[in-house]
Amino acid sequence: MAPTTGHRVAPGAAAVYFALLVGAVLATSVVVFFSVALSPSIRMEAVQARLAECAATLDADAARLAAEGTLDAPGQREALTADFRSCLRPAYAAPLTAVAAGLGLLTVVALTLYLAHPWWIVRRDRSTRLTPDLVPGLAHDLARLSRDLGLARAPEWRLVPHRGAPSGQAFGLPGRRRIHLGAGLLVLRATDRPAFRAVVAHELAHLRNRDVDLTYLTISIWRAFLFVAVLPPLLVLLLFTTSRGWTWRSPVDALAGNARLLGAMLALTCLVYLLRNSVLRARETYADAVAASVGGTGAALSAILQRQPAPRRWLARWGTHPRPHDRLRAIRGPATTLTSTHWDLVAAGLPSGVLTANLVAVAGGALGLDPVLGTALLALVVGSVLAALLALTVWRAARGTTVGTGQSRRVPFWFTSGTVLAGSFMAGTQVSVVAVTGTPGSIGGSGLASTLVAGLLLTVAAVVLAAWADSTSRATWLHATAHLADPSVEAAASDASVAGANPRAASVGPGRPARWALAATLAAAGLAGAAALAVWLPFSTVRFGFAIDWGPPPADGAGWYATVGRLSTADLGPAYRFVYNPLTLLALTALWLVPATLAGRAGRGTILWRSGLVGLGGGAVVAVVGAVLPVAAGVVVPVGVRQAVPEPDEISFGAVVDNSTIAVGSLVVAIAMAVVVAGRGPLRPARALLAATVATAAATAAIWWVAGPVRCLTGVGLCREAVDLDAMSRTALWILVQGLLVAVPLVLAAAVAGARRRAPGGPTPPATTGGDPPTAPATTGSDAPAGHRRTGTARVVALLVLLAVITTLVWGIRTSAYETWLRGTFG
């Protein structure tokens, strides 16, 4: 039977690093080829001339719109940006062609080197095919080891006669795998049979892990990258970038003129090199873990590694082979091969930022779409991948802490991981082509302030998503280790998650969560990341993208009434894009539905039910406020102000009341989330989103069917239809989106207060309000009491009703979403 190293809960580290390597190579190659194509002075002068022409047209159009008073109208600035990019696009046709040709050549060279690697290794080592009668019993031992490793097909064994070291090497193309055995390895078989089995088992483990192709593709890509994308462009930049002819000072002038580009090339080349080594190290540690699981080889393999000298240079930790103590750790604890580090996120964020920034300028034009829509489609892909990778990294770290295979941290890993990913992504955007060449439309707009604001918002979103992934992972693994049924252990684990450590993790044995748990978690995180980045990315390329402005003043309003009117209609930057984004509600629903389903399997539906009740209570508050506000406003506000006819840049009294009611609903949503976060128990981020969703649905119903009729009867607002799906959907999404924005400071304050209250030695809450009361283990099937079955049925019905409401609201914005996204307008 094939050996195992435990439950594979995530993709192998080598595969992840290989994907990051490919992304880093693509990102660096695009930067290099694009910059080299623009390096001749005559072409750069043509681009600069085109840039000046387009900039003059942009200034003339902006001055005309300003004279007409329509420059600040919705969609005008974005339309100007789109026209500017369209004007500038022809200047970059030749560089884009050079990029395509360079990437094609890089691919051909890499594939050629990969296909030729078996021939080269056999020729280099001068190996011969191993005959069965060379050493008595050797063929039988090798065949038995192949069966023990679970290989369906034995490799071709070859002997390297002149190699005295007891080593081997697995290589070959699919369908014809080969393993080189040094002559010293045959001597080892005669003197130390277990050590011989351990070395051969390690090479066979590479075949079982299917990482041979990964290894030699990695090496081939690295060599092709050097031969195609680094050395020739570097010579071009140093020798042929001056217009005065080549002299002895030309290289010095080229270095000075291309310092930023050369610095970016150096940084990205180092990243590619480190990723190459990470792939090779990861495959070695996982092969050690698999080989050690074969009977009789674990002790021998450990003894071999213990005899190896420790590297003296600290740079050795970044080499192609892991350090001996890292390999020993993988043998003694196979789960450590899935340990996550911040390096994984840097390796993902940096090339992703480079590629994204490079593709933003052509995303719309290359597809024949509006630039905003093209950028949003690009963000859907990038956001889903980065968010899923962030969730995977946090999942692994939380799993290690929960089952006792990870390290405790003073600062929670989810907090630092979100910050590292966002920071590396923003750093990547600053070494892209658009940043190096100064092309307008780069991420962060124009100016340091825009970049800082965009980076801060991205960091907050990444940290929140990482906190959600950490909470979901901890709850899942606690249930898998059969401790979730114990409320006291659950509360302790939940409290420890705030501090980033689980003091009881050492006593928790490894278990297996549901097979779909990780896939569902990554899918939910990817959906949320796609929805968020699709809004963030288009607005991050303009200076005014994240501006927050006061709303229009009310007609004849002054004092506190004018302040309320303008505050209730404040322009929250790209918030309306979330309102008209069909993915917003779907993503938020997935973020609470996946953990809710996991909690339901653990028999912990009570905490979800309570979160729903918090949301319903918020809806009741909105119903009361919505009914009282029109009456109270009619008494407090003078009749002349209430009946004033608004000017084009003003709003009416009825609009102020409507917007104020929606603002109250948003505030209630934020308070409901803060209440849940400040409490006890697991899955607080997911339960906060559940409470926000329920509060949004209840508030929408209260505004439409309670506050609406009252406004109609009092004459404050217009009388509307009982059901207007499009308007109800927009109302609900405005409440939810504004509530999430307001919730950020409230939830942070509630999290800090809750952490201090739950910390050891902190204030002890009353017994009637602290944590989840002990409950009996959940019962299922015919043994469950009738009351439990009825309660479970009621919860399922309530959940289905909530999902139906969400589906209805998503469907209700179909027309508005089409106008806003598919046509690229900002209507």
Side-chain angles (χ1 to χ4, degrees), residues 545-722:
F546 298 107
I548 299 179
D549 299 322
W550 287 91
D556 293 345
W560 67 268
Y561 173 66
T563 301
V564 170
R566 301 192 66 181
L567 182 61
S568 63
T569 57
D571 182 7
L572 303 178
Y576 69 92
R577 279 274 167 168
F578 282 109
V579 173
Y580 294 103
N581 189 346
L583 296 179
T584 299
L585 262 179
L586 294 177
L588 293 176
T589 301
L591 290 180
W592 64 257
L593 183 59
V594 170
T597 306
L598 294 172
R601 292 183 71 253
R604 301 298 294 170
T606 303
I607 56 176
L608 302 173
W609 192 249
R610 291 176 179 174
S611 301
L613 291 179
V614 171
L616 288 176
V621 172
V622 176
V624 173
V625 173
V628 173
L629 188 60
V631 179
V635 174
V636 175
V637 180
V639 63
V641 176
R642 283 184 279 133
Q643 296 178 356
V645 178
E647 298 292 336
D649 57 343
E650 296 178 338
I651 57 175
S652 64
F653 173 70
V656 173
V657 175
D658 288 348
N659 292 327
S660 298
T661 309
I662 293 176
V664 171
S666 300
L667 183 60
V668 166
V669 168
I671 294 175
M673 295 181 67
V675 169
V676 173
V677 171
R680 288 177 175 267
L683 299 174
R684 286 193 294 275
R687 289 190 288 121
L689 291 175
L690 174 59
T693 305
V694 174
T696 298
T700 303
I703 290 174
W704 210 260
W705 293 319
V706 177
V710 172
R711 290 197 302 270
C712 179
L713 293 175
T714 56
V716 171
L718 297 176
C719 298
R720 300 173 178 173
E721 299 178 4

Side-chain angles (χ1 to χ4, degrees), residues 34-35 38 44 51 92 260-261 432-440:
F34 199 100
S35 301
L38 289 176
M44 180 58 71
L51 176 61
Y92 293 99
R260 187 172 182 180
L261 173 60
S432 60
V433 169
V434 293
V436 171
T437 60
T439 304

Side-chain angles (χ1 to χ4, degrees), residues 56 71 99 123 160 163 239 319 321 332 367 372 402 513 535 564 584-585 607 623 633 642 654 746 784:
L71 180 60
V99 170
R123 180 181 177 84
V160 184
R163 181 178 296 171
L239 300 179
H321 278 68
R332 295 163 182 169
L367 300 176
V372 175
T402 305
V535 175
V564 170
T584 299
L585 262 179
I607 56 176
R642 283 184 279 133
L746 293 182

Side-chain angles (χ1 to χ4, degrees), residues 178-190:
R178 304 174 182 180
I179 293 182
H180 272 178
L181 301 178
L185 193 58
L186 301 186
V187 177
L188 182 66
R189 178 178 178 270

Side-chain angles (χ1 to χ4, degrees), residues 85-469:
R85 288 177 175 172
S86 299
C87 176
L88 194 60
R89 192 174 299 125
Y92 293 99
L96 290 177
T97 303
V99 170
L103 292 179
L105 179 61
L106 177 64
T107 303
V108 170
V109 172
L111 289 177
T112 302
L113 292 175
Y114 164 71
L115 295 174
H117 88 265
W119 170 83
W120 167 250
I121 292 176
V122 170
R123 180 181 177 84
R124 180 197 62 189
D125 294 344
R126 303 189 300 277
S127 65
T128 60
R129 189 158 186 168
L130 187 65
T131 57
D133 57 348
L134 179 64
V135 178
L138 177 61
H140 177 268
D141 291 345
L142 296 178
R144 182 178 179 181
L145 276 173
S146 299
R147 291 193 301 270
D148 291 344
L149 265 295
L151 297 180
R153 182 177 180 179
E156 175 186 320
W157 301 96
R158 302 185 67 87
L159 177 66
V160 184
H162 61 278
R163 181 178 296 171
S167 61
Q169 182 179 10
F171 63 100
L173 299 177
R176 194 182 180 186
R177 303 300 188 190
R178 304 174 182 180
I179 293 182
H180 272 178
L181 301 178
L185 193 58
L186 301 186
V187 177
L188 182 66
R189 178 178 178 270
T191 58
D192 191 347
R193 186 68 62 89
F196 166 79
R197 286 173 50 84
V199 174
V200 176
H202 174 88
E203 300 303 326
L204 289 170
H206 286 306
L207 303 185
R208 179 185 178 271
N209 296 341
R210 300 181 180 88
D211 61 17
V212 172
D213 295 322
L214 207 65
T215 300
Y216 292 100
L217 277 174
T218 298
I219 296 174
S220 301
I221 290 174
W222 165 250
R223 291 173 177 172
F225 173 72
L226 287 180
F227 296 153
V228 176
V230 175
L231 297 180
L234 185 61
L235 291 176
V236 170
L237 289 175
L238 292 179
L239 300 179
F240 304 106
T241 57
T242 60
S243 58
R244 299 187 302 270
W246 195 89
T247 64
W248 67 274
R249 288 189 54 85
S250 295
V252 178
D253 296 337
L255 286 174
N258 298 286
R260 187 172 182 180
L261 173 60
L262 294 175
M265 286 180 58
L266 177 62
L268 293 172
T269 302
C270 291
L271 175 66
V272 173
Y273 175 76
L274 293 176
L275 282 171
R276 184 205 72 154
N277 293 352
S278 296
V279 175
L280 301 180
R281 287 197 309 272
R283 66 183 283 272
E284 291 293 333
T285 54
Y286 193 61
D288 287 334
V290 172
S293 62
V294 179
T297 61
L301 188 57
S302 298
I304 293 174
L305 295 175
Q306 288 173 354
R307 291 194 295 267
Q308 292 185 356
R312 297 180 179 180
R313 297 180 301 171
W314 67 271
L315 286 176
R317 64 176 302 178
W318 304 104
T320 58
H321 278 68
R323 294 170 295 179
H325 78 270
D326 291 334
R327 302 180 67 174
L328 287 170
R329 189 160 55 96
I331 293 174
R332 295 163 182 169
T336 59
T337 59
L338 299 176
T339 302
S340 297
T341 63
H342 291 125
W343 160 245
D344 301 351
L345 300 172
V346 173
L350 193 61
S352 297
V354 175
L355 274 180
T356 302
N358 290 335
L359 295 177
V360 159
V362 297
L367 300 176
L369 302 173
D370 179 90
V372 175
L373 178 59
T375 303
L377 293 177
L378 171 66
L380 289 178
V381 178
V382 177
S384 60
V385 173
L386 288 182
L389 180 63
L390 176 62
L392 174 62
T393 305
V394 174
W395 173 282
R396 285 175 168 173
R399 185 257 187 193
T401 305
T402 305
V403 302
T405 60
Q407 298 179 350
S408 299
R409 305 172 186 266
R410 289 187 176 182
V411 181
F413 183 79
W414 57 263
F415 180 82
T416 55
S417 63
T419 305
V420 167
L421 180 62
S424 59
F425 181 86
M426 292 300 297
T429 63
Q430 302 308 307
V431 295
S432 60
V433 169
V434 293
V436 171
T437 60
T439 304
S442 59
I443 292 179
S446 54
L448 179 61
S450 297
T451 304
L452 292 178
V453 171
L456 177 62
L457 293 176
L458 186 65
T459 302
V460 170
V463 169
V464 170
L465 183 61
W468 172 87

Side-chain angles (χ1 to χ4, degrees), residues 491-503:
S494 176
D495 297 345
S497 67
V498 177
N502 186 352

